[in-house]
Amino acid sequence: MARTIAVSGSASGIGEALAGMLRDAGDTVIGIDLRDADVRADLSVPEGRASAVAQTLERCGGRLDAVVACAGVSDFTVMPVKVNFFGAVELLDGLRPALAAAGAPRAAVVGSISGTHPVDDDVVRACLAGDEPAALAAAEKAERGGAGGLLYPSSKAALAQWMRRVCVTPGWAGAGIPLNAIAPGVVRTPMTAPLFADEAMVQVMNEAVPMPLNGHAGPEVIAEALRWLISPANTHMTGQVVYVDGGAEATLRGAGLF
Ligand SMILES: NC(=O)c1ccc[n+]([C@@H]2O[C@H](COP(=O)([O-])OP(=O)(O)OC[C@H]3O[C@@H](n4cnc5c(N)ncnc54)[C@H](O)[C@@H]3O)[C@@H](O)[C@H]2O)c1
């Protein structure tokens, strides 16, 4: 049965691949992005997030079968905190009532293997407290202090922890909405194109994210996993961070987690 699915970050990379797959299968996709999207909005700021929610609700008539928060940025500034954490959380929170109105609703976020890397604890704590001014103040401090590289991992670690906290609450599990994350390793998209253009960076990337199984992935690999998470077939998986990373997480964290 055709479903109506909102996908943020639909103009590029993983979000674009997912939107294309869903549309090819007959679903109605409401793409949300800065440009080239059904809903054009800036998820880095509160008013842009509110506009994204309002426009999406208007387009779907208050009933959504699935939401995938995929939009993201990976620079060493405060932007990952704004877009990857608060942009995703406020989009999901705002669209949750429309999911609850559907028969078999599903939601997913896109985390990252980087969420297992070192983080700025103050940023993560403030994100989880829902305190954006405090999170941005801590992020600015990290950026000024030359620790901007911690901000992308911090945004993704906070997103995964937020997801695990809320997924079992009445608003999500209680409303019949599975909420999970896919955490990719390194994916060939416009986000990583500048890294692949630099041989030294490829070396650094391969050490930070070793992918012994089939190497770097294409965006369709991640899209396929997201597609299952938000499919009606997923009735009982929630709160999981599924690493689609060519074995990076298993290599880095080993067997000791279980
Ligand atoms: N490419 C990778 O190796 C990789 C690895 C792990 C996780 N991820 C995550 O996957 C997701 C998709 O990344 P991608 O590789 O497809 O990147 P991409 O750059 O190809 O696509 C990201 C999309 O997000 C949109 N976006 C960025 N800021 C926005 C904003 N303020 N408001 C609205 N939309 C905004 C962009 O316009 C773009 O269309 C991101 O969350 C990223 O962090 C990517």
Side-chain angles (χ1 to χ4, degrees):
M1 203 179 67
R3 300 159 81 223
T4 301
I5 299 171
V7 179
S8 76
S10 59
S12 177
I14 296 166
E16 184 182 22
L18 176 65
M21 251 177 213
L22 294 169
R23 285 193 178 112
D24 287 350
D27 291 324
T28 299
V29 174
I30 302 174
I32 304 166
D33 210 305
L34 289 167
R35 59 187 166 81
D36 301 332
D38 307 294
V39 167
R40 282 192 300 279
D42 181 356
L43 295 170
S44 71
V45 289
E47 51 279 18
R49 297 167 200 149
S51 166
V53 168
Q55 291 183 65
T56 305
L57 291 177
E58 193 177 327
R59 280 183 174 262
C60 73
R63 189 184 170 286
L64 264 180
D65 296 292
V67 177
V68 178
C70 186
V73 291
S74 62
D75 60 34
F76 284 16
T77 72
V78 299
M79 285 304 275
V81 176
K82 290 178 161 197
V83 179
N84 305 359
F85 184 79
F86 288 100
V89 166
E90 287 183 20
L91 185 70
L92 281 162
D93 276 344
L95 295 178
R96 199 197 54 76
L99 288 169
R106 308 284 182 260
V109 299
V110 179
S112 171
I113 184 66
S114 300
T116 64
H117 292 166
V119 299
D120 182 307
D121 290 329
D122 290 339
V123 172
V124 172
R125 204 174 301 116
C127 284
L128 292 172
D131 188 342
E132 187 167 7
L136 295 182
E140 275 158 17
K141 191 174 160 203
E143 193 185 335
R144 276 196 311 273
L150 296 179
L151 297 176
Y152 180 74
S154 300
S155 72
K156 295 298 190 179
L159 184 62
Q161 290 181 48
W162 172 83
M163 182 276 292
R164 284 184 64 80
R165 283 183 181 187
V166 304
C167 70
V168 287
T169 60
W172 292 93
I177 313 169
L179 172 62
N180 294 282
I182 293 292
V186 177
V187 188
R188 288 185 180 273
T189 68
M191 180 181 276
T192 51
L195 305 177
F196 279 109
D198 179 343
E199 200 42 60
M201 271 314 301
V202 174
Q203 199 91 23
V204 171
M205 215 157 54
N206 287 342
E207 275 161 31
V209 185
M211 298 178 67
L213 177 68
N214 292 330
H216 305 125
E220 69 289 345
V221 172
I222 311 304
E224 196 61 74
L226 284 164
R227 183 153 77 145
W228 185 83
L229 280 187
I230 62 162
S231 74
N234 177 21
T235 55
H236 282 73
M237 183 197 284
T238 198
Q240 300 307 304
V241 179
V242 182
Y243 291 91
V244 181
D245 64 355
E249 190 266 347
T251 305
L252 295 169
R253 300 213 284 196
L257 285 179
F258 293 95

